[in-house]
Amino acid sequence: MEIEHWPDDARPGETPAAIVDAPGSAPRLGPVVLPPRTPGTTRVAVVAAPLNPLDLVIASGTFHSARHEAPYVPGSECVGVVIDSDLYAPGSWVYGECQASPHTPGSFAAQTVMADENLLPLPDGLDPVLAAAVGNSGTAAYMPLIEEAGLRPGETVLVLGATGAVGQLAVQVAHRSGAGRVIGVARDREALVRLLRLGADDVVDLRAGESVDELAIRLSAVAGPVDVVLDGVYGMPLEAALRACAPQARVINIGNPAGATAQVPAGLLRGKQLTLTGFAGLHTPLREKQPALAWLWTALAHDELQVEVRTVSLEELPAAWRAQAASPHHKCVVLPQDTHGPGSKRAGHTTMTGSPAPLAHARPAGADVIEAGGPGE
């Protein structure tokens, strides 16, 4: 993949994209020449590309599984329209995951090329922006709770880091899957209150300077014995949550913004017979995520999930990137085409809904084969 600085007049075959030049760099806008499509790959016009914490961590050069010294196009997932493929019909809508690297472009571009095994057909009638918004975030909530922890009806669930995009979906997944009680834990009190409208039965705020013992007492008082912990923060909050766990509780870690280490007393681990595991969506093949995505997309289609989305154009991505670093309480989705056809999502629009609203009459650049209308139309 060839990357240059953006000229006044782009050359044929160039695609506008976000580019991270080196570890720790913020993305800039520039042209890329995509690799040619080969058998087993599909060329896609990107319509909606969510911005995930994973994208920032990889770009920082501190991620445990990937570091890119050369310039690359970031972006880990998208919904788009097929331009050229041996497997999918041109004009069909797909959801895809990207393994962004200097040799493989990510999703923050007007077009990208993805392996066929990393694509799924998008169900008819879904809003592409919302469908994309629950991809990475939704599977990071659903799979640990339902598939890893095996959440059972009536159990108590504690969500650490509940006000982020994953945490908000986790609260809803747990509630709609029959949890007896769902407790959200985070720092922002105002954002915590909003969780009560999403299915949380109670919330607990993290307080500066509080000890593990103090937080554990408050968690136990509100939650009682906890059966399942979805931990998106690690560090001290996890240490406190372990003390509030019921015997044979299942604890799944999905992130560590509160610290890279946590103290887990051996006596507590064995005495309560706790199960402590980690989940990483990056290392989970898309085919294994398909049941989770089917559940999430079905819930969206039935207006059973609420997702707060902020859409931005590709040009606005650098500013959105900085905002994401501050852990906003909404999902940011990049619209590389920035199409404004009837029924389409405009950059800058904020929505909190699960209602389907397909992109109508939107023709992504380079995809003239698309018939007017979005999925299902």
Side-chain angles (χ1 to χ4, degrees), residues 205-346:
D205 62 305
L206 297 174
R207 300 172 183 174
E210 189 171 35
S211 70
V212 173
D213 288 338
E214 291 169 335
L215 178 56
I217 290 171
R218 290 200 298 122
L219 290 176
S220 295
V222 172
V226 175
D227 302 297
V228 175
V229 177
L230 182 66
D231 169 38
V233 297
Y234 213 60
M236 189 277 279
L238 173 62
E239 296 174 12
L242 293 176
R243 301 188 187 191
C245 281
Q248 298 184 334
R250 292 90 72 201
V251 181
I252 304 92
N253 172 260
I254 58 172
N256 61 286
T261 61
Q263 294 186 11
V264 180
L268 178 66
L269 188 66
R270 295 199 307 274
K272 291 190 175 185
Q273 296 180 289
L274 303 178
T275 300
L276 177 59
T277 59
F279 174 83
L282 182 65
H283 304 303
T284 304
L286 184 58
R287 64 180 179 275
E288 295 181 17
K289 298 178 182 178
Q290 190 166 3
L293 288 167
W295 188 96
L296 293 159
W297 289 340
T298 299
L300 276 180
H302 290 87
D303 201 17
E304 294 175 348
L305 285 182
Q306 295 187 47
V307 188
E308 187 171 1
V309 176
R310 174 73 178 178
T311 54
V312 300
S313 67
L314 191 59
E315 290 78 6
E316 295 168 316
L317 175 60
W321 191 276
R322 293 190 296 271
Q324 180 65 52
S327 300
H329 304 304
H330 60 261
K331 190 69 181 179
C332 179
V333 177
V334 181
L335 309 183
Q337 311 292 335
D338 200 7
T339 50
H340 295 158
S344 71
K345 296 293 183 183
R346 278 182 176 268

Side-chain angles (χ1 to χ4, degrees), residues 45-49 79-81 91 93 122 125-130 132 311 333-347 355-364 370-377:
V46 179
V47 174
V79 164
V81 179
W93 290 76
L122 195 69
L126 279 183
D127 181 320
V129 173
L130 293 176
T311 54
V333 177
V334 181
L335 309 183
Q337 311 292 335
D338 200 7
T339 50
H340 295 158
S344 71
K345 296 293 183 183
R346 278 182 176 268
S355 301
L359 276 174
H361 310 296
R363 291 178 180 267
I370 304 170
E371 294 296 329
E377 294 198 350

Side-chain angles (χ1 to χ4, degrees), residues 1-3 33-36 41 67-74 99-106 112-114:
M1 182 176 64
E2 183 182 347
I3 296 178
V33 177
L34 296 179
T41 67
R67 179 183 172 90
H68 305 312
E69 302 295 339
Y72 75 102
V73 175
Q99 304 293 331
S101 75
H103 304 291
T104 306
T112 191
V113 176
M114 289 185 278

Side-chain angles (χ1 to χ4, degrees), residues 157-173:
V157 176
L158 190 72
V159 180
L160 298 178
T163 56
V166 175
Q168 291 179 46
L169 286 168
V171 166
Q172 297 176 77
V173 168

Side-chain angles (χ1 to χ4, degrees), residues 67-118:
R67 179 183 172 90
H68 305 312
E69 302 295 339
Y72 75 102
V73 175
S76 48
E77 61 177 333
C78 70
V79 164
V81 179
V82 173
I83 297 173
D84 185 27
S85 176
D86 297 325
L87 183 62
Y88 295 98
S92 59
W93 290 76
V94 291
Y95 168 81
E97 292 190 331
C98 305
Q99 304 293 331
S101 75
H103 304 291
T104 306
S107 57
F108 296 144
Q111 296 182 19
T112 191
V113 176
M114 289 185 278
D116 290 344
E117 64 184 11
N118 292 330

